[in-house]
Amino acid sequence: MFYCIDSLHEQAYQLKDSSKIDAALHTNYRALRLIENRSDSALTKILRQRIVLFGNKRSLDSALIYANKLFSLYQKSKDSFGMADAMYLKGFYFNKSNQKDSALINAYQSVELYKQLKDSSKVYSRAKLLTLILQTLGNYEEAELTAVESLTFLTDKSDKEELSRTYNYIAILTKSRGNFNEALYWYEKALELTTDKHHKNNIRNNIALVQIELQNFKIAFDILSDLRADSIHDFSKDLRYKSRILNNWAFAKSKLGHTDAESYLLQALAMRKQDNIAYRLNGSYIRLAEHYADRLDPKAVNMAKLAYQTAKTY
């Protein structure tokens, strides 16, 4: 039987990897029926897989039902590591289903239990979800503190790319709190560690945005001019990246009084309309509204209305 269960478990993951989620769920259910009256590691393994499969299918209610079952099993067997994992899963899928309070409680409890268990790698990795939920709730200070604290649990500091991504995220949170000089400190630390050109350019774009907040428009413009050259040559097929760099570069031009800034801001908007992602469109409308407002142009009112309308959709 053990071989059969392991085989079905493996088959389900292979089907999932082939994007055959319904077939994977059916295979998983066959395994579940063979062991549903047991309470050992084979059952928890199959239940965990079922949670992930329902999550992939976006059947979040079902994912949460099985996450609760998994937690109850671990609770009965007094398996603290399993309980921490189940709470993380509950937090993850509560967050996906936009139940932020329940997500926060479970994510927090998971991290705290991993701390008690002295599982440093899990504290570091699971703190990312907690930080994300706190950020979504607008609690930037607590999110930043959680992210900074998680660094003390990062056991393998030789992974410079991972460390760079964490520093970059801390900088984003710090910027959200209006601590621009501190944000620059974290961005520079992130920049020092990465060799990935796309990630490096994203960090430099973030640095430029901080310089705009500090009204250092010439510094921002110079950084973004370099990035724009890359966006045309090295990342010509990445429309989202190109539109983001173009929008920020054009806005720096606007603040420096360049007469051609409007045409570039409108080009960035046109690119974003192709993707039709609300928060990116919102970013363009906000930049255009400020551009027109700086020039006492009545078009600012219409752009502000469009920014408001798109903001309500996400």
Side-chain angles (χ1 to χ4, degrees):
M1 181 182 287
F2 286 111
Y3 173 77
C4 182
I5 293 166
D6 286 343
S7 177
L8 289 169
H9 180 264
E10 181 61 28
Q11 284 177 41
Y13 270 131
Q14 288 174 0
L15 288 164
K16 169 184 168 288
D17 291 342
S18 301
S19 301
K20 299 174 181 176
I21 302 300
D22 288 331
L25 277 165
H26 177 70
T27 302
N28 170 271
Y29 182 65
R30 287 170 58 200
L32 186 61
R33 288 193 63 184
L34 289 172
I35 53 172
E36 58 187 349
N37 293 321
R38 288 164 45 179
S39 59
D40 57 12
S41 60
L43 178 58
T44 55
K45 180 172 74 171
I46 296 301
L47 280 177
R48 196 184 197 286
Q49 182 183 62
R50 193 159 188 79
I51 294 163
V52 172
L53 291 172
F54 273 123
N56 274 260
K57 194 180 177 182
R58 304 295 296 174
S59 298
L60 300 178
D61 288 345
S62 296
L64 285 164
I65 288 169
Y66 282 98
N68 280 319
K69 288 182 179 181
L70 184 64
F71 178 77
S72 295
L73 275 174
Y74 282 131
Q75 195 174 39
K76 282 181 183 178
S77 62
K78 297 181 181 179
D79 183 339
S80 296
F81 284 97
M83 288 166 62
D85 182 50
M87 284 188 287
Y88 168 77
L89 289 169
K90 288 170 67 176
F92 183 84
Y93 289 111
F94 272 128
N95 187 50
K96 287 285 187 183
S97 61
N98 207 32
Q99 299 180 61
K100 299 300 180 185
D101 290 342
S102 296
L104 180 62
I105 291 168
N106 281 279
Y108 175 78
Q109 289 177 340
S110 176
V111 170
E112 289 303 304
L113 186 49
Y114 277 126
K115 286 180 184 177
Q116 292 175 32
L117 296 168
K118 302 187 186 306
D119 190 334
S120 296
S121 63
K122 279 291 197 293
V123 173
Y124 173 75
S125 62
R126 297 328 194 197
K128 291 179 181 180
L129 174 63
L130 178 57
T131 304
L132 174 63
I133 296 166
L134 288 164
Q135 181 188 14
T136 305
L137 291 170
N139 192 341
Y140 299 116
E141 182 175 4
E142 192 67 26
E144 182 185 349
L145 289 171
T146 301
V148 173
E149 184 194 22
S150 75
L151 289 172
T152 64
F153 293 92
L154 180 59
T155 53
D156 183 11
K157 291 185 171 60
S158 64
D159 188 345
K160 293 184 179 180
E161 293 297 337
E162 172 64 23
L163 199 53
S164 175
R165 287 190 290 272
T166 301
Y167 286 153
N168 182 61
Y169 188 46
I170 293 171
I172 291 169
L173 295 169
T174 306
K175 175 178 176 286
S176 297
R177 295 179 59 212
N179 295 339
F180 300 125
N181 288 318
E182 187 181 343
L184 287 175
Y185 164 79
W186 287 109
Y187 280 135
E188 291 296 342
K189 284 178 72 69
L191 196 58
E192 288 171 8
L193 293 176
T194 184
T195 57
D196 181 279
K197 188 168 186 180
H198 202 292
H199 181 47
K200 186 176 289 189
N201 284 3
N202 281 332
I203 297 169
R204 293 183 67 209
N205 174 68
N206 292 340
I207 290 172
L209 292 177
V210 174
Q211 296 294 356
I212 287 174
E213 293 288 352
L214 292 169
Q215 298 190 12
N216 296 326
F217 302 121
K218 182 63 169 64
I219 295 174
F221 178 71
D222 289 343
I223 294 170
L224 291 162
S225 293
D226 286 343
L227 297 182
R228 183 166 181 262
D230 273 351
S231 75
I232 293 169
H233 299 294
D234 293 354
F235 304 107
S236 60
K237 294 181 181 179
D238 189 338
L239 191 62
R240 292 184 189 181
Y241 175 80
K242 285 181 68 175
S243 65
R244 181 168 72 250
I245 299 301
L246 179 59
N247 193 53
N248 294 335
W249 175 74
F251 185 69
K253 283 173 75 69
S254 171
K255 288 298 185 180
L256 290 169
H258 294 194
T259 56
D260 59 349
E262 178 188 10
S263 65
Y264 288 113
L265 285 167
L266 290 171
Q267 280 183 38
L269 174 60
M271 286 183 187
R272 288 175 164 181
K273 283 182 175 179
Q274 292 180 50
D275 279 341
N276 196 31
I277 298 173
Y279 78 90
R280 295 185 186 278
L281 288 169
N282 181 260
S284 277
Y285 291 137
I286 288 172
R287 292 302 200 203
L288 280 160
E290 189 167 343
H291 168 82
Y292 291 130
D294 286 346
R295 290 154 179 80
L296 302 178
D297 188 321
K299 289 197 285 287
V301 175
N302 184 51
M303 288 298 164
K305 287 179 179 177
L306 289 169
Y308 176 70
Q309 289 168 5
T310 53
K312 291 192 295 183
T313 65
Y314 63 93

